[in-house]
């Protein structure tokens, strides 16, 4: 072994090894940062998609509300017309009944005792 020449390390080689370690450390840090940025980018894309969907839903709801206002007004008018028609029919039926109802004493009509409502024709009995 003594016959071998003594190997003296090259100082440039040691510097290169230290530079390689530094570069590999920087590369590892950049890869970790890249992974983190990629995950954050994915989260932001999800939030953007959610926001766009929410905006679409809000615009749709706003459009529906704008369409609903005239329909509500029309519905109120229809309900008012319906109530007026009912009142008119009730009044008309009362007037019609009053016009159709002759004097019970002269026509021989009297109330139906079974149902308690309406009229029925009854034969007049001869007076005794």
């Amino acid at each position: 072994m003594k016959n071998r020449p003594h190997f003296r390390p090259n100082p440039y080689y040691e510097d290169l090894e230290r530079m390689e370690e530094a570069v590999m450390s920087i590369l590892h840090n950049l890869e970790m940062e890249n992974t983190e940025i990629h995950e954050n980018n994915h989260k932001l894309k999800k939030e953007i998609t959610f926001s766009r969907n929410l905006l679409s839903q809000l615009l749709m709801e706003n459009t529906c509300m704008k369409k609903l206002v005239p329909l509500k007004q029309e519905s109120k008018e229809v309900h008012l017309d319906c109530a007026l028609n009912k009142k008119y029919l009730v009044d008309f039926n009362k007037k019609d009944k009053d016009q159709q109802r002759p004097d019970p004493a002269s026509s021989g009509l009297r109330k139906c005792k079974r149902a308690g409502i309406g009229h029925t024709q009854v034969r007049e009995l001869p007076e005794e």
Side-chain angles (χ1 to χ4, degrees):
M1 278 221 219
K2 290 194 177 197
N3 291 342
R4 280 183 175 185
H6 177 62
F7 177 72
R8 195 169 144 194
N10 188 345
Y12 295 116
Y13 182 76
E14 290 174 0
D15 286 342
L16 282 175
E17 282 185 342
R18 276 185 256 130
M19 288 173 92
E20 180 189 16
E21 286 178 19
V23 167
M24 293 305 283
S25 174
I26 291 171
L27 178 65
H28 177 71
N29 290 341
L30 288 173
E31 286 175 346
M32 295 302 290
E33 189 177 326
N34 186 28
T35 303
E36 185 178 326
I37 289 172
H38 181 71
E39 290 173 357
N40 287 341
N41 188 23
H42 186 68
K43 288 179 185 177
L44 288 174
K45 282 183 180 179
K46 282 183 175 179
E47 286 183 25
I48 289 170
T49 303
F50 175 77
S51 297
R52 285 182 182 161
N53 288 340
L54 185 61
L55 178 63
S56 296
Q57 289 176 354
L58 289 173
L59 289 173
M60 182 65 75
E61 185 177 330
N62 190 16
T63 303
C64 290
M65 292 301 281
K66 285 180 181 178
K67 290 179 180 178
L68 189 62
V69 169
L71 292 175
K72 282 184 178 179
Q73 182 65 30
E74 185 178 330
S75 175
K76 287 179 184 177
E77 291 170 2
V78 168
H79 283 296
L80 182 62
D81 288 345
C82 185
L84 289 173
N85 286 340
K86 283 182 183 177
K87 184 179 181 319
Y88 174 74
L89 286 173
V90 168
D91 292 343
F92 183 75
N93 283 338
K94 285 181 182 177
K95 287 180 184 178
D96 189 44
K97 284 182 182 177
D98 289 343
Q99 288 176 358
Q100 287 181 359
R101 185 179 303 158
D103 185 23
S106 64
S107 68
L109 293 176
R110 62 181 172 171
K111 287 221 175 223
C112 179
K113 292 182 181 177
R114 280 180 306 184
I117 57 171
H119 294 89
T120 181
Q121 184 75 27
V122 178
R123 274 188 297 158
E124 290 187 24
L125 297 175
E127 291 187 22
E128 298 178 26

